Amino acid sequence: NAGVTQTPKFRVLKTGQSMTLLCAQDMNHEYMYWYRQDPGMGLRLIHYSVGEGTTAKGEVPDGYNVSRLKKQNFLLGLESAAPSQTSVYFCASSSQRGGSYNEQFFGPGTRLTVL
Amino acid sequence: GNSVTQMEGPVTLSEEAFLTINCTYTATGYPSLFWYVQYPGEGLQLLLKATKADDKGSNKGFEATYRKETTSFHLEKGSVQVSDSAVYFCALSSRGTDKLIFGTGTRLQVFP
């Protein structure tokens, strides 16, 4: 199993450009998440999905959109990139609800720079 | 709201030294607690977990005990190795939610 994969690994954008980050998982997990990681701030949740066709906002959703058309894929879109969106983006998936147990499996990350 | 506070790094140790990384939390009810590790250039991996008070999670020589009275979940290892160099994240998950709340991470550097 590949686990959680992300494409691309690196990307440089100019301000105002758009792009889509792709996350794929082969573990048949119901739940998928997009985080951004910034120095000194840990991981912050952007959007998440609790099943195919569903999405929900996380802690920092502004400037991002997501779609979950297939269970195994979770797409993160930036419609008009801004320098403040320079970050490392991680996708994760999990098979159980939060509460007593909630192990999330992470992809390797996408490093995005917006000039 | 719920939050996690970790000691700031970097923590710099010599090989075979004792490691403690402090983590305290604020949460309503009885959250589950986790330590994740991020090796250079990789995503996060679950290191250990504890789901109720006084539980001890352990893995790869690392341990952490869920202390409800002090709202803490400190990570310890008796003898660190160079290969333990990584960023360590404490996290919590409240019952009935689908989300993890992470601390800011603590970088550990181990020198031979």
Side-chain angles (χ1 to χ4, degrees):
Chain A
N1 286 350
V4 179
T5 58
Q6 294 181 232
T7 53
K9 288 185 169 55
F10 302 93
R11 185 72 185 268
V12 178
L13 291 178
K14 294 181 180 179
T15 297
Q17 287 185 318
S18 64
M19 77 163 295
T20 300
L21 283 67
L22 171 64
C23 175
Q25 52 94 3
D26 62 2
M27 296 173 283
N28 201 35
H29 285 169
E30 287 292 332
Y31 301 87
M32 296 187 75
Y33 310 81
W34 275 108
Y35 294 91
R36 59 179 289 173
Q37 183 181 29
D38 302 294
M41 303 189 75
L43 274 74
R44 294 181 292 169
L45 183 64
I46 304 171
H47 286 281
Y48 66 105
S49 167
V50 299
E52 182 178 323
T54 74
T55 62
K57 293 180 180 180
E59 181 184 357
V60 288
D62 293 343
Y64 305 95
N65 56 75
V66 288
S67 63
R68 183 98 182 270
L69 298 180
K70 294 182 179 180
K71 185 177 183 179
Q72 64 268 33
N73 295 337
F74 195 30
L75 279 63
L76 177 71
L78 286 72
E79 291 184 347
S80 180
S84 61
Q85 294 177 304
T86 294
S87 187
V88 181
Y89 292 86
F90 287 100
C91 177
S93 69
S94 70
S95 61
Q96 298 183 13
R97 294 186 66 88
S100 60
Y101 180 73
N102 187 20
E103 179 176 0
Q104 294 185 13
F105 295 82
F106 284 79
T110 295
R111 184 173 295 276
L112 174 66
T113 301
V114 183
L115 302 176
Chain B
N2 297 341
S3 66
V4 175
T5 302
Q6 287 182 239
M7 62 187 291
E8 290 191 17
V11 174
T12 304
L13 295 172
S14 297
E15 207 165 23
E16 299 184 2
F18 184 85
L19 168 70
T20 299
I21 299 178
N22 291 339
C23 171
T24 57
Y25 68 90
T26 301
T28 54
Y30 299 90
S32 296
L33 301 173
F34 308 87
W35 277 101
Y36 278 81
V37 58
Q38 183 181 27
Y39 297 104
E42 299 183 9
L44 280 70
Q45 305 171 24
L46 180 65
L47 180 61
L48 54 84
K49 69 182 190 299
T51 58
K52 60 183 186 295
D54 299 326
D55 264 3
K56 177 184 283 188
S58 61
N59 186 24
K60 299 181 180 180
F62 291 89
E63 293 182 341
T65 301
Y66 188 141
R67 302 284 189 200
K68 187 160 179 64
E69 63 276 13
T70 55
T71 62
S72 64
F73 193 54
H74 303 323
L75 182 68
E76 296 182 337
K77 187 176 185 182
S79 176
V80 294
Q81 305 300 313
V82 172
S83 57
D84 294 326
S85 298
V87 181
Y88 292 82
F89 291 91
C90 186
L92 70 80
S93 175
S94 293
R95 292 186 187 279
T97 74
D98 302 300
K99 298 184 283 289
L100 283 172
I101 296 173
F102 288 90
T104 54
T106 302
R107 182 176 299 278
L108 170 65
Q109 297 174 325
V110 181
F111 293 95

